Amino acid sequence: MNSKATPKLEYRNGRPSVLRKATVWRELNFYKRSEILYQLTVAFCRRFLPKHGDRTVDQMVQAARSTKQNIVEGYSDGQVSFEIELKLLGVARGSNQELLADYGDYLAAHGLAEWKDANPRFEALHRFCRERTDLAAFQPYFEKWSDDEMANCAICLAHMIDKALDTTLAKKDEAFVTQGGIRERMTAARLGYRTDQRARIEALERENAALRGEVARLKALLGGSPGNPGCSGTAGGC
């Protein structure tokens, strides 16, 4: 087994569980950024896209929501299944990339530029997105920023989420290869339980043998065994 194996749950008696230790997804920075990106996208679509007749609104909002929700479901279901976790986090990454492309298309269609590293506005925005992961820090700007400011903020967040998901998926892929899925954990747990039971039975048998020997020794000392050394061997001698 890998020395860096995923922590397992244990019952009160110390027996291991087949479940993996739950990840607190609410505390993950890329989840927090996905929540910000979702709320930003809802505000962006409301302010800058047509209210009717444009499927882009539904597509962008659903892609942002899919990113956030599949992170939640991936980690929740991942306590039981590595396979489902990998699949859902992969879906989250795909939805995030879809949203990233939508924002890029919007900028291109409206003659707006995507801010790059050399742009001072990008540097300030990137620092803000890197240092803050609380929705409350972004919300005041949802009604103030222009469309290119909001789109570039969304693109910055989406890139950060994509990088984090890419790293996470690589680590989980390696963990799956080295640790296996729930079937392997179930088999290991059952084998471990049976081995433990056998060890307990063998220990009890050794203890019983020792007790029988001690009983025999005490009987001999008390004269309760055949050929009692306390008898003289003559008639009426006992």
Side-chain angles (χ1 to χ4, degrees):
M1 291 294 290
N2 189 344
S3 61
K4 297 183 179 179
T6 302
K8 307 286 194 308
L9 295 176
E10 289 186 350
Y11 295 109
R12 290 182 180 178
N13 60 7
R15 187 170 296 145
S17 166
V18 298
L19 300 178
R20 295 161 61 214
K21 193 169 184 178
T23 299
V24 184
W25 47 265
R26 293 182 186 276
E27 296 179 1
L28 298 171
N29 283 336
F30 66 87
Y31 168 75
K32 294 177 183 178
R33 290 192 174 102
S34 74
E35 188 173 26
I36 294 167
L37 182 56
Y38 170 69
Q39 297 295 340
L40 184 151
T41 299
V42 171
F44 177 87
C45 291
R46 173 175 52 79
R47 290 183 61 198
F48 301 113
L49 291 179
K51 291 181 174 57
H52 304 287
D54 189 346
R55 293 186 58 196
T56 305
V57 174
D58 288 339
Q59 291 171 348
M60 290 181 70
V61 171
Q62 288 303 314
R65 185 180 184 279
S66 174
T67 301
K68 179 174 72 74
Q69 291 304 114
N70 277 291
I71 292 173
V72 174
E73 292 180 28
Y75 277 104
S76 298
D77 294 345
Q79 191 177 10
V80 174
S81 172
F82 247 136
E83 297 94 326
I84 294 176
E85 182 179 35
L86 284 167
K87 178 180 178 180
L88 292 176
L89 291 179
V91 172
R93 190 180 183 207
S95 296
N96 183 65
Q97 290 178 338
E98 178 185 342
L99 184 62
L100 182 60
D102 283 333
Y103 277 110
D105 290 343
Y106 177 90
L107 290 175
H110 291 79
L112 301 171
E114 180 179 339
W115 301 346
K116 301 296 184 181
D117 294 355
N119 189 328
R121 300 177 76 187
F122 171 81
E123 293 176 2
L125 177 63
H126 186 268
R127 183 169 59 253
F128 180 69
C129 292
R130 185 181 66 247
E131 295 175 353
R132 305 303 298 266
T133 58
D134 51 317
L135 178 60
F138 288 80
Q139 281 180 318
Y141 298 102
F142 289 172
E143 302 301 323
K144 298 178 182 178
W145 276 337
S146 62
D147 54 350
D148 67 326
E149 288 173 324
M150 288 190 79
N152 274 285
C153 181
I155 289 171
C156 187
L157 289 169
H159 277 302
M160 290 179 175
I161 294 166
D162 183 71
K163 183 177 180 180
L165 281 171
D166 181 47
T167 301
T168 298
L169 283 166
K171 289 180 178 178
K172 291 189 178 295
D173 179 49
E174 181 181 4
F176 176 73
V177 172
T178 57
Q179 299 170 36
I182 191 169
R183 293 181 182 85
E184 289 86 352
R185 294 199 304 278
M186 291 172 70
T187 300
R190 286 295 301 158
L191 290 174
Y193 175 75
R194 290 166 62 184
T195 300
D196 182 59
Q197 290 297 97
R198 283 197 298 270
R200 289 173 183 270
I201 291 170
E202 290 171 0
L204 287 172
E205 289 175 345
R206 289 192 297 270
E207 184 178 347
N208 286 338
L211 288 172
R212 285 194 296 270
E214 181 65 11
V215 168
R217 187 183 70 82
L218 291 174
K219 283 183 176 180
L221 289 175
L222 295 172
S225 60
N228 184 353
C231 297
S232 64
T234 60
C238 293

